[in-house]
Structures are given as structure tokens and as C-alpha cells.
Amino acid sequence: MIRGWIAGYNRPSKETRHGDTQVLIDDKNGICFIIDGGCDDCVTALISYLKRNGIKKVYLLLSHPHYDHAAGLKKIIEDSYFTVLCFYCYDPNSLKSGLRNNKGSKAVQEDIDYLNRIIAKAKAKKIPVKYLKHGDKVELGDIKFKVFREQPKRVEDDDDNGWSYVNDGSLCCYFYEWYYWTSGDGSERIWDFIKKLGIKVKFFKIPHHGNNCTMSQANGLKDNGADYCWYNDLEPNGVGTTNFTEFGARRCKQAGIKVFESVGDINFVVANGRFLI
């Protein structure tokens, strides 16, 4: 049996809240696996959850080096309370092949530098660092997943902040025994990517930029067998009330997929390959 926890929050009164973290716990084998660490209140919630439950030994995975996903993991690495058994991420150099002489490339170089600083902190504390790439398979007790990544070929001229290039290149984890798909901020066209891979997904995380999850994308996921999804981009007036999530959360709801919004923690259990949420 696997226990899952996704940090929840009070609904923001103004701006949409970004960033997320999730914790998977294999009690039988004493394993705690954390995907991303959020930022700001998310970091506080994550650290509090781990310490409240007496969890000291952890495995960390960073989907991509943006602050609203990396800050909490950096905090864990720096906190002497924790023993980090491995820090998983992608090779920072894998972003360099797509750089161009434009504004977006300068921003991506900052992301590369940020990831290198986190890696340096981990290595300074003798934490093993493993670079994951497309096609890798990881087994941590009963937590088993395949790694998928679809990195755009280059930073486009109109991507001033370099966000699309880095977001779409997020590490994606597919827990094949549970049909669970999760990632950081990409791939934006999630169904197209899953269809190309030829896999089945029952439960998934809407990527941070799920506003590109159109109705056809949501219908494709539903037809593929998706029953549930969750997202952490909370909006003041609820699911799909601005263009940030209307094509993600709202379209998934319209397709008949149950959407879990993280107003309050999301807890789930995986037993015998089935989700209990």
C-alpha cells in the first residue's frame, strides 16, 4: 500500500497561487519519495508534514528548476533534520543545446545556474545526485515509475522568459502499476504526449500550464481511461474561472473527469493498483 499526500491551502483572495509538491510513502519498505517542493506556504506545509510524521529519510525528485517547484527541495537539502538518500533531476547541461541569442535563452541560463547551485549544495552534503533522462526506470520499494521527458529543440524568439522551453521539458513520472501520471509544468499538450507513448493513464496531475489542455486533450484523456486528476493552481473564484486553468481543470470536468482542487490537503491511498481518494 502506498500513501499519497498533496499539500493544500486556503483559497487565495487575489492572485492565482502556483507551485506544488507531492509526497508518496511506502510504509512497508520505509520509503518516502517527494516530487517537487513548491515555494512560500507550500514549503512550510511540506516541512511541517514531514516533521509531524517523523519522516527523516527522503528521496527527492525535481521536475525542472523553477523556484515554485524547487524551493522546498532546496530547503530539505539544507535542513540537517533530513537525510536525503538521493536527489533526482535532469542534467543541467541538457538545456544548453536549445539556447539561442535571445531573451528567453538568458532566462534559461539562469535556470541552469539555479539548478547547478542546488546540485552543488547536495554534493557538498554528500547526497547522491542522479540525472534522469527519457526512458529511465526507477524502483524505490513499491514505488516504481518510468521517466518521460519531451524537451523542445530550442528556445523560441517569442518565449521571452524561456518558460515554455523549460516547462515543457519537465521530467514526467509514470507509475505504471497504478496508471498514475505526474509532472511539473509539462508537457503542455499532455494527451498528445501520452498518446504518443502508448500508455494508459487513470489518474494524473494537470500540468502547471494546463491552460493548453483543450477540450480535445481532455476528451482524449477521458477516452484513454482517466477518471481523476488534480491541480494546485488555485484561483480566487474556483476551478476554471480565469484563462489560467479554464482549459485545464474546467475542460477536464466537462469531459467527465473528477477534478481534485487542493483547497485543503489531498490524501490518497494506492492498494492493489487501485486509487482510493
Side-chain angles (χ1 to χ4, degrees), residues 6 53 56 59 64 88 104 108 111 117 125 165 169 181 190-191 195 199 202 238 250 258 261 265-266 268:
I6 298 164
N53 287 278
K56 295 185 177 182
Y59 293 86
H64 66 295
Y88 296 101
V108 172
D111 293 335
R117 288 196 296 272
K125 296 192 71 172
Y165 178 73
W181 173 278
I190 179 175
W191 166 236
K195 179 171 58 176
I199 59 178
K202 293 184 178 180
R250 192 168 78 186
K258 171 68 175 178
E261 186 185 24
D265 296 350
I266 301 173
F268 61 87

Side-chain angles (χ1 to χ4, degrees), residues 13 46 61 77 89 102 127 161 166 174 182 185 206 210 235 268:
S13 59
L46 172 60
L61 183 145
I77 289 171
C89 60
N102 56 21
I127 296 170
N161 295 296
V166 177
Y174 176 56
T182 186
D185 287 353
I206 299 175
E235 296 175 321
F268 61 87

